């Protein structure tokens, strides 16, 4: 999975990673890709991680938890925000369906 341009650097900045480490970048890229898949699946739609918005914030937090070996606590601590993403996706799908019905 190719990451959106600049996302790896943004996550590294958020995690205060200031050194060059190609192996670490590969590991972090995998964490980011898994986080994107997890959040997209949770929301039920493809989210935009390039805008400074809730999906990007949640991805940053997912990466922080994963890097700290505390991923099992992420869903518990962010359940409200994950449910909000699901509800927004459902509302968006409903609005789209209503606007296309005659």
């Amino acid at each position: 999975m190719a990451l959106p341009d600049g996302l790896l650097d943004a996550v590294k900045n958020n995690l205060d990673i200031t050194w060059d480490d190609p192996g670490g970048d590969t590991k972090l890229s995998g964490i980011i890709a898994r986080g994107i898949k997890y959040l997209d699946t949770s929301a039920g739609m493809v989210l935009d991680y390039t805008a400074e918005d809730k999906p990007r914030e949640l991805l940053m937090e997912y990466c922080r938890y994963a890097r700290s070996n505390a991923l099992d606590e992420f869903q518990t601590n962010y359940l409200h925000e994950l449910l909000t993403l699901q509800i927004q996706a459902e509302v968006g799908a409903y609005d789209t369906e209503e606007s296309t019905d005659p």
Side-chain angles (χ1 to χ4, degrees), residues 3-18 25 28-29 32 49-52 56-57 59-61 63-64:
L3 300 178
D5 287 341
L7 191 56
L8 175 61
D9 289 334
V11 171
K12 287 174 65 175
N13 181 57
N14 189 65
L15 296 174
D16 294 322
I17 299 172
T18 59
D25 288 356
L28 190 54
S29 293
I32 295 168
Y49 300 98
T50 60
E52 290 293 339
R56 186 177 177 107
E57 176 187 340
L59 179 61
M60 298 291 176
E61 292 304 314
C63 293
R64 182 172 64 88

Side-chain angles (χ1 to χ4, degrees), residues 15-69:
L15 296 174
D16 294 322
I17 299 172
T18 59
W19 56 91
D20 288 327
D21 177 9
D25 288 356
T26 300
K27 181 177 181 179
L28 190 54
S29 293
I31 290 171
I32 295 168
R34 289 188 299 277
I36 289 172
K37 184 170 179 129
Y38 173 80
L39 293 171
D40 286 354
T41 300
S42 294
M45 62 185 283
V46 175
L47 301 169
D48 179 10
Y49 300 98
T50 60
E52 290 293 339
D53 203 1
K54 187 56 77 172
R56 186 177 177 107
E57 176 187 340
L58 287 171
L59 179 61
M60 298 291 176
E61 292 304 314
Y62 177 96
C63 293
R64 182 172 64 88
Y65 276 72
R67 191 163 178 266
S68 299
N69 294 319

